[in-house]
Amino acid sequence: MAQANVVFLEYPRCSTCRKAKKWLDEQGVAYEDRMIVEQNPTADELRTWIATSGLPIRRFFNTSGKLYRELGMKDRFAAGISEEECLELLASNGMLVKRPLVVGADFVLVGFKQAEWEQVLL
């Protein structure tokens, strides 16, 4: 049975997001579509999602993005940037956030890994 009540955060011009959305549609997974740039996650949402995912905050950054490089995030992590600073940065611009994201009541999927998505969503 397909999981319902999930939020799919995407950037439409991202090829991985398009691939993930096509997969969701093909599997019949019901989701609320949310554009990550126009409706950027808030610091509170991110705090909750990070806790739910059990992943380190670093995994929520779009490390291949131009903005990540422009802000020198790799060096900032090496220098010990705080979790609060990370949350503020992520909440300031959707292009910094790893995508796609699928958020359910008790799980958060970061990036599109089909096997992981099948295990959680199907």
Side-chain angles (χ1 to χ4, degrees):
M1 165 114 185
Q3 176 84 28
N5 302 322
V6 300
V7 179
F8 175 67
L9 289 96
E10 66 160 320
Y11 179 59
R13 292 188 2 210
C14 164
S15 60
T16 305
C17 292
R18 288 195 303 266
K19 183 176 164 185
K21 188 174 192 172
K22 181 177 186 243
W23 183 87
L24 288 172
D25 291 339
E26 287 172 351
Q27 305 309 315
V29 176
Y31 59 90
E32 174 193 328
D33 203 359
R34 181 168 160 188
M35 302 302 144
I36 204 160
V37 174
E38 291 83 355
Q39 294 176 283
N40 196 55
T42 66
D44 285 341
E45 284 177 317
L46 288 158
R47 190 177 285 108
T48 300
W49 298 345
I50 291 161
T52 301
S53 74
L55 297 170
I57 197 166
R58 194 174 193 152
R59 288 279 307 276
F60 282 77
F61 279 87
N62 176 15
T63 57
S64 60
K66 186 174 122 184
L67 189 57
Y68 183 89
R69 290 189 300 277
E70 286 174 359
L71 292 172
M73 291 307 300
K74 187 176 180 185
D75 293 334
R76 289 170 87 168
F77 278 115
I81 187 172
S82 75
E83 186 165 313
E84 280 307 310
E85 287 177 280
C86 287
L87 286 168
E88 284 176 31
L89 283 167
L90 287 167
S92 72
N93 191 320
M95 294 305 280
L96 265 179
V97 182
K98 177 82 173 168
R99 55 191 184 263
L101 279 173
V102 173
V103 180
D106 58 355
F107 66 89
V108 177
L109 300 171
V110 181
F112 180 55
K113 297 180 188 84
Q114 187 172 326
E116 181 184 12
W117 284 37
E118 285 173 357
Q119 193 174 24
V120 174
L121 295 168
L122 301 182

